[in-house]
Amino acid sequence: SAAGGIARAEGLPTYPWQLAPYWRHSEEAAELLQKSAEFPLLGKRSPGPDPIWTNEVSLGAFPYLRDHVVGGDVVFPAAGFIEIMLCAGREIFGDVPLEIEDFEILAALFVGTDEHVLFSTRLDVDRHLVHIRTRTRDGASEWTIRASAQIRPTDIRPELRLPRDELSGAPTSGDDFYAQTALAGFGYGPAFRAIASATVAAHSAAGVIAAPEQVSLEGSLAHPCLLDAALQLTIAMVTGARGDAA
């Protein structure tokens, strides 16, 4: 006995332990702590009748964003905004084909090394209008509209026609392609170097796109690293990165 008295042995209970949890959370706390986001870049839907999702994005949470560099700065990719919009549409409209129209970037989003950026995505179901707003944690309280578009379900399934047979010239290797885009000021790192080869002409382009080893496609509909690669081909047409350089 710690108090110096006489110790007495007691028997254990004869019934089994119930092992039932009695930890109580509020509805909001349970949603936050126990339910993970289906789409990591979109984040979690906020409680309430209107479809609003919130998320916190940083280079630590999404390391692949470090490799989207333009002019020496990390810029959140346009493909990332499109991925967020598609994921919001999937959660509201279900597993159906979606179309995006009138996509517009209203303000570029630069992400600093130690910055944590708060995202708020709102989908107006009646108007099919989606807005993405951001602000920096512990920074200004005002939200900045970064991107907007219209999104809706569609029955149209466009027939994709590969134009590679119509392009003249030999394909450019991925290394040569990214050497050319670097000269144009696009410093793509490994995660955003998804083009294995490309054939670029004045008015058309085709490429072989493969996910880099360090990129996981889990939890995405159109992963920014892959969708951005398709956009890179259009940039190559404009900048003239046609692979005719050594």
Side-chain angles (χ1 to χ4, degrees):
S1 171
I6 299 174
R8 184 175 61 183
E10 295 286 351
L12 294 175
T14 57
Y15 53 84
W17 297 103
Q18 305 249 336
L19 301 178
Y22 288 98
W23 193 279
R24 294 183 60 85
H25 290 299
S26 66
E27 180 180 342
E28 293 79 8
E31 179 78 13
L32 180 64
L33 295 174
Q34 299 175 11
K35 184 178 179 181
S36 59
E38 180 179 3
F39 302 111
L41 201 55
L42 173 65
K44 294 182 179 181
R45 182 171 173 175
S46 302
D50 297 325
I52 300 176
W53 296 263
T54 59
N55 202 7
E56 183 171 323
V57 173
S58 67
L59 302 185
F62 299 90
Y64 62 82
L65 293 177
R66 300 176 184 271
D67 290 337
H68 192 263
V69 179
V70 179
D73 296 315
V74 174
V75 180
F76 191 85
F81 292 123
I82 294 175
E83 161 72 1
I84 291 174
M85 293 175 178
L86 287 173
C87 293
R90 172 63 60 83
E91 288 205 358
I92 295 301
F93 301 117
D95 188 9
V96 297
L98 299 170
E99 66 176 4
I100 289 179
E101 293 181 336
D102 300 326
F103 173 76
E104 185 177 5
I105 293 181
L106 302 171
L109 174 58
F110 297 89
V111 184
T113 303
D114 299 321
E115 282 188 336
H116 291 252
V117 182
L118 303 180
F119 275 63
S120 177
T121 302
R122 178 171 185 153
L123 176 58
D124 185 329
V125 179
D126 295 330
R127 299 169 60 196
H128 300 283
L129 185 63
V130 58
H131 283 107
I132 299 176
R133 294 174 169 83
T134 73
R135 71 175 180 86
T136 305
R137 176 175 289 283
D138 301 326
S141 59
E142 295 81 9
W143 292 84
T144 300
I145 301 179
R146 297 294 178 179
S148 66
Q150 287 191 319
I151 184 170
R152 59 174 58 85
T154 179
D155 295 329
I156 300 175
R157 295 178 180 268
E159 180 180 352
L160 299 179
R161 183 174 59 88
L162 299 179
R164 294 198 62 177
D165 294 339
E166 301 177 8
L167 298 177
S168 60
T172 302
S173 70
D175 290 339
D176 288 342
F177 177 86
Y178 286 109
Q180 292 295 319
T181 56
L183 294 177
F186 298 92
Y188 298 116
F192 278 87
R193 294 190 171 208
I195 294 179
S197 65
T199 304
V200 182
H203 303 290
S204 58
V208 176
I209 297 175
E213 293 182 357
Q214 63 269 45
V215 174
S216 171
L217 304 183
E218 184 178 357
S220 65
L221 295 179
H223 195 285
C225 293
L226 299 188
L227 182 57
D228 193 83
L231 301 178
Q232 292 167 19
L233 290 171
T234 64
I235 293 173
M237 287 191 294
V238 175
T239 59
R242 299 187 178 92
D244 49 4

